[in-house]
Amino acid sequence: RYVSLKLGVDPDTLRVTDDGIVRYVVVATSPSGNVNASYEGIRCQTGQVKVYARHGATGSWRAIEDPQWKPLRDNQPSLHALAIAHQGVCDGRAPSSRSASAIIANLKRPMLDDK
């Protein structure tokens, strides 16, 4: 609630790989109009996220050298991946579906957090 960025998953980019990794592009816009994006993957089985590439002010994609899996819960300041995992990508330690369209439907109707 204290973040001024607006985030969204590009539904055309969401894929579930054969090894159960959910890959997607997340787009962030700031109040000043800056737009950034990153190509990421969530591995529900281990509760981890990996950033493969970033897109920003240069207008082109930049691959991350030697991308590493990081825990979803400790991925500061990028806790958006944890929210994406909880809101529709993961069902426990597995993708919520093998179907990208089903995951996108989940993300469009996120669960409310009672905390």
Side-chain angles (χ1 to χ4, degrees), residues 53-64:
R54 294 193 190 283
H55 186 278
T58 64
S60 62
W61 285 97
R62 182 181 52 83
I64 302 297

Side-chain angles (χ1 to χ4, degrees), residues 41-101:
I42 293 176
R43 185 165 42 189
C44 300
Q45 182 179 13
T46 58
Q48 295 176 302
V49 62
K50 182 189 284 191
V51 178
Y52 300 99
R54 294 193 190 283
H55 186 278
T58 64
S60 62
W61 285 97
R62 182 181 52 83
I64 302 297
E65 283 189 40
D66 191 29
Q68 300 293 312
W69 289 105
K70 296 183 179 181
L72 284 167
R73 295 192 181 280
D74 298 331
N75 194 26
Q76 297 288 344
S78 300
L79 287 175
H80 67 269
L82 177 63
I84 291 169
H86 283 184
Q87 296 293 336
V89 168
C90 298
D91 183 8
R93 295 201 170 268
S96 61
S97 175
R98 297 296 296 177
S99 160
S101 60

